[in-house]
Amino acid sequence: MNILIIGNGGREYSIGLKLKKEKIVNKMYFAPGNGATINLGENIEINDYEKLAKFAVDNNVDLTIVGPEMPLGKGIVDIFKKHNLIIFGPSKDAARLETSKSYMKDFLQKYGIKTAKYLSSSNYDEISKFIDKMDGKIVVKADGLCAGKGVIIANNKDEAKKAAKEMLDGKSFGDAGEKVVVEEFLDGFELSFFAICDGKNFVSLPVAQDHKKLLDKDEGPNTGGMGAYAPTPLATKELISKIENEVVKPTLSGMQKEGSSFCGVLFVGIMVVDNKPYVLEFNVRFGDPECEVIMPLIDGNLSEILYEAAVGRLKPISLKNQFAVGVVVASQNYPYKSSPEKLIKIEEIPENSHICYAGVSSKNRELYADGGRVLVCVGKGDTIKQATKNAYELCKKVKFDGMQYRSDIAYQVNK
Ligand code: AMP
Ligand code: GLY
């Protein structure tokens, strides 16, 4: 199989690293890829999706896998399908589960799936009246894609109104804030739940937890994610079956009824309150850094699993009875501003660990940190403790100026 992977992060590198070990995989292309994916395959500099589809046809690409949400939201799947290509990911219409929070909330309400009480509107007076009826903390979200930054947790009504007004005026998130979702604050613990879907059926992947804050003890600003681990014992069998039956199944059948069957990765951001799963958000792709810890837990050929899902005949998936922990190593000024390029030195890679490269460039066979999240140190083990230890042993072998990482990834279960 020749495979094209869309994206340039640690997520796409981890998919490539898994596929590289599969005998059935022949050539791999990354568009655009990063400074380290050139060691797994070939980087392609084509931004236009029609041209990329032509490249895939001309180069006998058998399967395209889309990493990030942006190309999905812009309809890359629809374009590739028009050219009779096999592509794993949702159509532009189905991607609205992620690209529009008001679409997602209305969908959840229509199909009776638990989520925080909300109002979505572009009218400030309506929003202000709704906020007046709320108590405690209030969550204000921009409707469109904001790279994980469009959510404000307001401590009181005045803060909530101010946040909503700034979003509607286009001050905080531009066009993404033309419409606003205001919702009740849910107090519980979060899970990242992933299902591979073929339009009708799904298979669940190990349940992960992400660490969105920059600093230890979940302090500091929000980031794209500073680390993850899987599977989490916080997701009990009972909870997993509730998520499958009360969230994933009605979502897939609801999307079919809406005429937008969902094929691809359904990533449900769950808040568990009193042992009940509430949907915080949908994403229509793998999480980053969750993907980096899920890939090493998949037994069997990912290429076949994703190919079969893309053509609507999903197969079961077998998983390793192991744990994986991923620690994101970021550059000095992340997440505030970019940092100067720095040479990366890796002393050695200890056993049961590996690196997934993200914000890196390559010059004269050396890797340089040139992005916010630079790489992810992944440790594996028979227990979470062991996997955590292996991930942090690897962190100690990585050196570049200004590097920063959290020291408490998987703290939720390493007490
Ligand atoms: P979202 O992009 O909607 O997942 O929101 C980003 C983060 O904001 C989530 O991962 C939660 O930590 C937090 N969050 C979002 N909505 C709520 C809510 N209704 N109650 C509590 N926390 C929330
Ligand atoms: N790690 C969360 C995300 O990928 O959106």
Side-chain angles (χ1 to χ4, degrees):
M1 241 193 255
N2 296 326
I3 298 187
L4 168 63
I5 300 176
I6 312 289
N8 65 354
R11 168 180 48 207
E12 290 75 22
Y13 184 93
S14 74
I15 295 170
L17 192 65
K18 165 81 181 133
L19 294 175
K20 184 91 185 156
K21 296 174 196 142
E22 300 181 0
K23 287 204 185 78
I24 187 174
V25 175
N26 183 22
K27 194 125 203 214
M28 260 196 288
Y29 301 98
F30 294 83
N34 62 42
T37 53
I38 50 174
N39 300 320
L40 302 173
E42 195 181 317
N43 284 358
I44 306 297
E45 284 294 331
I46 303 176
N47 301 320
D48 179 273
Y49 300 148
E50 286 284 353
K51 288 188 184 143
L52 206 51
K54 185 166 185 313
F55 171 88
V57 171
D58 292 346
N59 289 276
N60 301 316
V61 168
D62 300 291
L63 172 68
T64 300
I65 302 167
V66 189
E69 62 276 21
M70 198 61 96
L72 295 168
K74 288 187 177 159
I76 191 170
V77 168
D78 311 69
I79 293 170
F80 271 51
K81 284 197 169 155
K82 214 175 57 193
H83 292 270
N84 294 320
L85 289 159
I86 310 282
I87 179 164
F88 178 71
S91 65
K92 182 176 179 175
D93 276 352
R96 278 180 299 170
L97 284 179
E98 174 165 1
T99 57
S100 166
K101 288 207 189 288
S102 57
Y103 174 85
M104 176 270 285
K105 293 293 283 190
D106 294 347
F107 175 87
L108 292 173
Q109 193 174 48
K110 180 168 175 187
Y111 291 98
I113 301 167
K114 279 194 207 66
T115 188
K117 287 198 194 74
Y118 76 104
L119 172 80
S120 87
S121 173
S122 41
N123 179 314
Y124 178 72
D125 291 338
E126 204 183 350
I127 291 169
S128 176
K129 277 189 198 132
F130 183 76
I131 291 176
D132 279 331
K133 285 187 252 152
M134 298 174 88
D135 297 313
K137 289 187 189 171
I138 299 163
V139 184
V140 184
K141 302 182 179 184
D143 182 56
L145 286 181
C146 299
K149 295 178 189 92
V151 176
I152 307 281
I153 312 238
N155 288 307
N156 53 49
K157 292 177 192 181
D158 288 345
E159 262 182 50
K161 285 182 191 176
K162 185 165 172 268
K165 183 135 192 35
E166 283 180 2
M167 282 184 195
L168 288 172
D169 288 348
K171 279 189 197 146
S172 29
F173 301 108
D175 290 349
E178 273 173 8
K179 208 173 189 184
V180 165
V181 174
V182 177
E183 63 181 37
E184 65 173 335
F185 178 79
L186 296 173
D187 202 2
F189 65 89
E190 282 183 61
L191 298 175
S192 299
F193 191 94
F194 298 89
I196 294 181
C197 308
D198 72 354
K200 283 195 198 116
N201 300 306
F202 69 96
V203 288
S204 304
L205 293 173
V207 185
Q209 276 200 303
D210 187 12
H211 300 66
K212 291 204 166 88
K213 301 279 183 185
L214 180 71
L215 305 172
D216 283 6
K217 303 201 184 99
D218 291 330
E219 286 173 2
N222 261 329
T223 69
M226 291 300 288
Y229 73 96
T232 172
L234 298 175
T236 57
K237 273 202 179 124
E238 185 203 351
L239 198 49
I240 291 174
S241 98
K242 276 188 197 167
I243 297 171
E244 291 179 336
N245 291 317
E246 296 171 19
V247 179
V248 182
K249 279 186 194 161
T251 298
L252 291 186
S253 62
M255 289 303 276
Q256 276 182 282
K257 284 186 198 132
E258 298 295 313
S260 311
S261 298
F262 189 91
C263 176
V265 178
L266 184 68
F267 164 5
V268 197
I270 298 269
M271 183 74 86
V272 182
V273 185
D274 297 332
N275 210 30
K276 292 191 202 90
Y278 288 76
V279 176
L280 283 181
E281 64 167 346
F282 282 124
N283 295 303
V284 297
R285 47 156 179 100
F286 280 113
D288 192 347
E290 289 96 327
C291 189
E292 287 91 317
V293 296
I294 289 174
M295 286 301 128
L297 302 175
I298 296 177
D299 217 3
N301 281 343
L302 180 72
S303 46
E304 283 175 301
I305 294 164
L306 300 188
Y307 184 93
E308 297 296 334
V311 297
R313 31 164 217 248
L314 192 68
K315 293 235 166 82
I317 188 166
S318 71
L319 299 168
K320 290 183 192 158
N321 196 10
Q322 271 198 316
F323 295 87
V325 173
V327 179
V328 171
V329 180
S331 54
Q332 189 168 18
N333 302 325
Y334 182 73
Y336 303 104
K337 54 177 186 169
S338 57
S339 311
E341 211 174 57
K342 298 288 176 191
L343 178 66
I344 303 171
K345 288 273 177 217
I346 315 277
E347 285 169 5
E348 60 164 307
I349 311 257
E351 236 178 280
N352 283 318
S353 68
H354 63 265
I355 295 178
C356 290
Y357 291 97
V360 297
S361 58
S362 157
K363 261 184 266 168
N364 306 324
R365 300 196 173 181
E366 305 237 62
L367 283 178
Y368 289 79
D370 81 340
R373 293 190 292 175
V374 174
L375 54 88
V376 185
C377 290
V378 180
K380 287 169 286 177
D382 293 334
T383 61
I384 296 182
K385 267 206 163 56
Q386 190 58 51
T388 310
K389 190 165 171 276
N390 291 340
Y392 279 108
E393 286 299 316
L394 177 54
C395 288
K396 285 186 219 147
K397 308 288 179 198
V398 173
K399 304 265 180 321
F400 63 89
D401 287 348
M403 62 186 267
Q404 55 162 332
Y405 57 89
R406 275 180 66 158
S407 69
D408 65 347
I409 300 305
Y411 74 88
Q412 298 92 327
V413 289
N414 270 329
K415 285 169 200 151

